[in-house]
Amino acid sequence: MTAPRSGTTGTSARADALPRTPAGRRPRWDQAPTVVAVALGGAVGASARYGASLLWPTAAGTLPWTTLWVNVVGCAVMGVFMVLITEVRPVHPLLRPFFGTGVLGGFTTFSTYAVDAHTLLDGGRPRTGFAYLALTLCAALAAVWLAATVTRRLVAWRQR
Protein backbone atom coordinates (compact mmCIF):
# COMPACT_ATOMS: atom_id res chain seq x y z
CA MET A 1 0.00 0.00 0.00
CA THR A 2 1.26 3.44 -0.82
CA ALA A 3 1.02 6.58 1.24
CA PRO A 4 -1.50 9.20 0.17
CA ARG A 5 -0.18 12.03 -1.97
CA SER A 6 0.32 15.33 -0.23
CA GLY A 7 -2.87 17.35 -0.16
CA THR A 8 -5.11 14.29 -0.14
CA THR A 9 -6.78 12.80 2.84
CA GLY A 10 -6.97 9.17 1.99
CA THR A 11 -8.98 9.54 -1.23
CA SER A 12 -8.33 6.90 -3.81
CA ALA A 13 -6.44 7.55 -7.02
CA ARG A 14 -9.59 6.71 -8.94
CA ALA A 15 -11.53 9.52 -7.24
CA ASP A 16 -8.70 11.93 -8.02
CA ALA A 17 -8.97 10.99 -11.69
CA LEU A 18 -12.55 12.27 -11.96
CA PRO A 19 -12.87 15.59 -13.78
CA ARG A 20 -13.38 18.69 -11.70
CA THR A 21 -15.39 21.80 -12.46
CA PRO A 22 -13.61 25.17 -12.56
CA ALA A 23 -14.59 25.70 -8.90
CA GLY A 24 -12.80 22.45 -8.03
CA ARG A 25 -15.94 20.42 -7.33
CA ARG A 26 -16.69 17.13 -8.99
CA PRO A 27 -19.48 17.57 -11.55
CA ARG A 28 -22.95 16.30 -10.83
CA TRP A 29 -24.84 14.54 -13.56
CA ASP A 30 -26.58 17.75 -14.65
CA GLN A 31 -26.05 16.96 -18.31
CA ALA A 32 -27.79 13.59 -18.22
CA PRO A 33 -31.17 14.97 -19.40
CA THR A 34 -29.46 16.68 -22.33
CA VAL A 35 -27.57 13.54 -23.29
CA VAL A 36 -30.78 11.51 -23.15
CA ALA A 37 -32.64 14.13 -25.22
CA VAL A 38 -29.93 14.08 -27.91
CA ALA A 39 -29.83 10.28 -27.96
CA LEU A 40 -33.59 9.94 -28.28
CA GLY A 41 -33.74 12.64 -30.96
CA GLY A 42 -30.85 11.02 -32.81
CA ALA A 43 -32.68 7.71 -32.86
CA VAL A 44 -35.77 9.39 -34.33
CA GLY A 45 -33.76 11.29 -36.96
CA ALA A 46 -31.59 8.35 -37.99
CA SER A 47 -34.68 6.15 -38.27
CA ALA A 48 -36.34 8.70 -40.54
CA ARG A 49 -33.21 8.88 -42.72
CA TYR A 50 -33.07 5.08 -42.90
CA GLY A 51 -36.73 5.03 -43.90
CA ALA A 52 -36.01 7.54 -46.69
CA SER A 53 -33.17 5.36 -47.97
CA LEU A 54 -35.53 2.36 -48.08
CA LEU A 55 -38.26 4.31 -49.87
CA TRP A 56 -35.93 5.90 -52.42
CA PRO A 57 -32.86 3.69 -52.91
CA THR A 58 -29.98 4.98 -55.03
CA ALA A 59 -28.61 2.88 -57.87
CA ALA A 60 -24.85 2.31 -57.82
CA GLY A 61 -22.86 4.88 -59.79
CA THR A 62 -25.66 7.44 -59.91
CA LEU A 63 -26.12 10.69 -58.08
CA PRO A 64 -27.28 9.85 -54.53
CA TRP A 65 -30.49 11.87 -54.72
CA THR A 66 -31.94 10.54 -51.48
CA THR A 67 -28.93 11.62 -49.42
CA LEU A 68 -28.88 14.97 -51.19
CA TRP A 69 -32.56 15.64 -50.47
CA VAL A 70 -32.33 14.42 -46.88
CA ASN A 71 -29.51 16.89 -46.26
CA VAL A 72 -31.28 19.75 -48.02
CA VAL A 73 -34.58 19.14 -46.22
CA GLY A 74 -32.77 18.80 -42.88
CA CYS A 75 -30.97 22.10 -43.45
CA ALA A 76 -34.22 23.84 -44.38
CA VAL A 77 -35.94 22.53 -41.27
CA MET A 78 -32.96 23.72 -39.21
CA GLY A 79 -33.36 27.21 -40.68
CA VAL A 80 -37.03 27.31 -39.67
CA PHE A 81 -36.36 25.78 -36.26
CA MET A 82 -33.56 28.15 -35.29
CA VAL A 83 -35.59 31.23 -36.18
CA LEU A 84 -38.58 29.97 -34.22
CA ILE A 85 -36.66 29.10 -31.06
CA THR A 86 -34.29 32.06 -31.03
CA GLU A 87 -36.42 34.90 -32.39
CA VAL A 88 -40.06 34.01 -31.83
CA ARG A 89 -40.52 32.45 -28.43
CA PRO A 90 -38.58 30.73 -25.69
CA VAL A 91 -38.86 26.96 -25.58
CA HIS A 92 -38.09 24.21 -23.10
CA PRO A 93 -34.30 23.94 -22.62
CA LEU A 94 -34.29 20.33 -23.86
CA LEU A 95 -36.07 21.06 -27.15
CA ARG A 96 -33.00 22.42 -28.92
CA PRO A 97 -30.76 19.43 -28.04
CA PHE A 98 -33.57 16.96 -28.76
CA PHE A 99 -34.70 18.36 -32.09
CA GLY A 100 -31.76 20.41 -33.39
CA THR A 101 -28.85 18.23 -32.35
CA GLY A 102 -30.65 14.91 -32.03
CA VAL A 103 -33.41 14.64 -34.64
CA LEU A 104 -31.85 16.85 -37.32
CA GLY A 105 -28.32 15.67 -36.53
CA GLY A 106 -29.47 12.07 -36.92
CA PHE A 107 -31.55 12.84 -40.00
CA THR A 108 -28.96 14.76 -41.98
CA THR A 109 -25.99 12.72 -43.02
CA PHE A 110 -22.96 14.61 -44.16
CA SER A 111 -20.77 11.60 -43.44
CA THR A 112 -22.75 9.60 -46.00
CA TYR A 113 -22.44 12.59 -48.33
CA ALA A 114 -18.65 12.31 -48.07
CA VAL A 115 -18.69 8.53 -48.54
CA ASP A 116 -21.03 8.79 -51.54
CA ALA A 117 -18.78 11.41 -53.17
CA HIS A 118 -15.70 9.28 -52.50
CA THR A 119 -17.42 6.22 -53.98
CA LEU A 120 -18.35 8.14 -57.13
CA LEU A 121 -14.85 9.57 -57.51
CA ASP A 122 -13.13 6.22 -56.92
CA GLY A 123 -15.65 4.47 -59.14
CA GLY A 124 -14.52 6.39 -62.21
CA ARG A 125 -17.35 8.95 -62.16
CA PRO A 126 -15.48 12.18 -61.34
CA ARG A 127 -18.02 14.49 -62.99
CA THR A 128 -20.88 12.98 -61.04
CA GLY A 129 -18.83 13.00 -57.82
CA PHE A 130 -17.80 16.64 -58.09
CA ALA A 131 -21.28 17.68 -59.21
CA TYR A 132 -22.70 15.91 -56.18
CA LEU A 133 -20.22 17.61 -53.84
CA ALA A 134 -21.00 21.07 -55.21
CA LEU A 135 -24.75 20.56 -55.58
CA THR A 136 -25.20 19.28 -52.02
CA LEU A 137 -23.11 22.07 -50.52
CA CYS A 138 -24.85 24.84 -52.46
CA ALA A 139 -28.34 23.40 -52.00
CA ALA A 140 -27.89 22.82 -48.25
CA LEU A 141 -26.59 26.35 -47.66
CA ALA A 142 -29.31 27.85 -49.83
CA ALA A 143 -31.96 25.79 -48.04
CA VAL A 144 -31.00 26.93 -44.54
CA TRP A 145 -30.71 30.55 -45.64
CA LEU A 146 -33.96 30.56 -47.62
CA ALA A 147 -35.92 28.76 -44.90
CA ALA A 148 -34.66 31.16 -42.21
CA THR A 149 -35.40 34.20 -44.37
CA VAL A 150 -38.92 33.06 -45.27
CA THR A 151 -39.64 32.12 -41.66
CA ARG A 152 -38.52 35.54 -40.43
CA ARG A 153 -40.76 37.26 -42.98
CA LEU A 154 -43.76 35.09 -42.13
CA VAL A 155 -43.28 35.72 -38.43
CA ALA A 156 -42.98 39.48 -39.00
CA TRP A 157 -46.10 39.42 -41.22
CA ARG A 158 -48.10 37.51 -38.57
CA GLN A 159 -47.07 39.91 -35.84
CA ARG A 160 -48.48 42.97 -37.66
Side-chain angles (χ1 to χ4, degrees):
M1 186 156 131
T2 61
R5 288 185 249 159
S6 66
T8 63
T9 56
T11 59
S12 70
R14 183 176 181 108
D16 289 343
L18 291 173
R20 294 183 179 269
T21 63
R25 296 183 311 259
R26 285 186 181 70
R28 288 190 251 138
W29 299 102
D30 294 342
Q31 293 184 357
T34 304
V35 171
V36 170
V38 170
L40 292 173
V44 170
S47 297
R49 175 174 28 99
Y50 178 69
S53 71
L54 292 177
L55 287 171
W56 302 289
T58 300
T62 64
L63 196 84
W65 287 105
T66 303
T67 303
L68 186 144
W69 284 112
V70 160
N71 287 332
V72 170
V73 167
C75 286
V77 172
M78 180 58 80
V80 171
F81 178 66
M82 290 308 294
V83 168
L84 294 177
I85 69 167
T86 60
E87 299 174 21
V88 175
R89 63 181 290 213
V91 295
H92 190 279
L94 291 177
L95 182 62
R96 187 173 181 171
F98 171 77
F99 191 75
T101 305
V103 174
L104 293 176
F107 182 66
T108 57
T109 175
F110 287 91
S111 58
T112 302
Y113 158 67
V115 169
D116 287 344
H118 184 266
T119 301
L120 289 168
L121 294 169
D122 273 2
R125 304 200 41 100
R127 284 186 193 164
T128 305
F130 285 119
Y132 175 61
L133 283 170
L135 182 60
T136 300
L137 178 63
C138 292
L141 290 172
V144 74
W145 176 81
L146 184 62
T149 301
V150 168
T151 303
R152 279 189 190 101
R153 288 187 181 165
L154 286 172
V155 167
W157 176 76
R158 271 191 81 203
Q159 290 176 346
R160 287 188 215 177

